Amino acid sequence: MTELHDLPAHDLIAAYRQRKLSPVEVTQAVLAHIERWEPHIQATYLLRPEAALAQARASEARWLRGEPKGALDGVPSTIKENIATEGDPTPLGTAAVELVPAAADAPPAARMREAGAVIVAKTTMPDYGMLSSGLSTFHPLSRNPWDVSKGPGGSSAGGGAAAAAGYGPLHIGTDIGGSLRLPASWCGIFSLKPSLGRIPIDPPYTGRAAGPMTRTVADAALMMQVLSQPDARDSMSLPYQDIAWSLFNKGAERLRGLRIGLLLDAGCGLPVEPEVKAAVERAAKLMEAAGATIVPMAPFMTQAMLDGMDHFWRMRSHIDLQALPAARRDKVLPYIRTWADSAAGMSGTEVFNASHQFHLTRVNTVKACSAFDYVISPVAPNVAFQAELPSPTNDPLRPLEHIGFTVPFNMSEQPAASVNCGYTRAGLPIGLQIAGARFDDLGVLQVAHAFELIREPQRAWPQPPAA
């Protein structure tokens, strides 16, 4: 029998409606499971069992009255710590930030509360979200449930680990260069980076998106129904559309007749590991057998584009860090200080040329994808790496060599998902990226769900080490 902490959100809502389960017993089960796992993976921030149980009791009372608050009423959930929650500090993963209580919920947190979700905890992230690991000067080191010697990825590190470990079914992360999809890939879960502005967020920033982190496409679609509701605080948000997210399940036949590009070379960064390439090629063959036409793609990113974005972000961070008092600046992770300070000597021309790479990336990505209904690729060229490392290269002057497949879709504003497509011989998950045209978020979910139906059998979720 499926344990309560492993039940998907759809099943929980149905069980609450039929009074077969209570949000209180489910939340208790999730909290007990977190207690077993948390010493090993350290995925949470502000884990407050009594507050979670109070929310669950209020939800139980609503269900007993037949008056659920919303689509997620009573479902255990987590929220990445950089998404503000009223009354809580937002440390941004670093000991350098002053801990000031947030004045209000940011849009994704507000939507979850309005829908009745039980917020069990916030989840961890690295310093300023600038790493694809769980390394932080504020949080304990987060680890990957599949192999606790490895990291969960980042910057939505705790969210990826929490979803894989079964800290309830629903988790929210953010993504500006791959920070949803990378931990999803390395933790074997599903995630959608939606079209820019589909989910309102505050503060908004070029390429920055919030999105669901779940074990299934079905639960991500349920979250999109809630998170995509409008919020005027996001000046970059899209006009609200009443999208039929419940139509995510079009079956494997959704693949029939699609023209899908297969990208196996990002054109920049690290080479793709053989096991990753083989898993993505197997996924392409499964899609082809289901009726899609698979067309190999030439790379459209260049090392100059990746380096330009890297150098611009270095300068942005350098300016931000220089504005801090010296005592606080010294608390930032040394790797990030070294990375940011390397921009100190850049000229105005160099900064402008670096910033121009964002536009060139956008143009090249849209042009390359326009010939296809969807594009598939590895999420990352590598699988999960040592937990103690800040990045796969462990080199602050080559920090982004693993985001060549993910970052272009942030800049082009296109939706892109990560769905598990296999495992290495050592048992580490491998993610398949599925990208669609701008605004086609529902289509990406449908294609990802179709792939869920035809992919190779999934391994059992990892269990906490014996006490």
Side-chain angles (χ1 to χ4, degrees), residues 224-243:
M224 289 301 296
Q225 175 184 326
V226 169
L227 295 174
S228 62
Q229 296 296 312
D231 195 303
R233 290 175 287 175
D234 186 350
S235 59
M236 301 173 78
S237 63
L238 297 174
Y240 174 69
Q241 286 182 271
D242 187 14
I243 295 171

Side-chain angles (χ1 to χ4, degrees), residues 345-363:
M346 288 179 68
S347 68
T349 299
E350 288 172 323
V351 173
F352 172 79
N353 288 337
S355 71
H356 186 53
Q357 301 305 313
F358 289 91
H359 179 68
L360 294 180
T361 297
R362 179 191 183 101
V363 170

Side-chain angles (χ1 to χ4, degrees), residues 12 35 44 89 123 128 131 139-140 160 168 237 285 330 359 370 383 431:
L12 290 177
E35 187 177 359
T44 65
T123 50
Y128 295 109
L131 302 175
H139 301 294
S237 63
K285 286 183 170 63
D330 289 344
H359 179 68
S370 63
V383 294

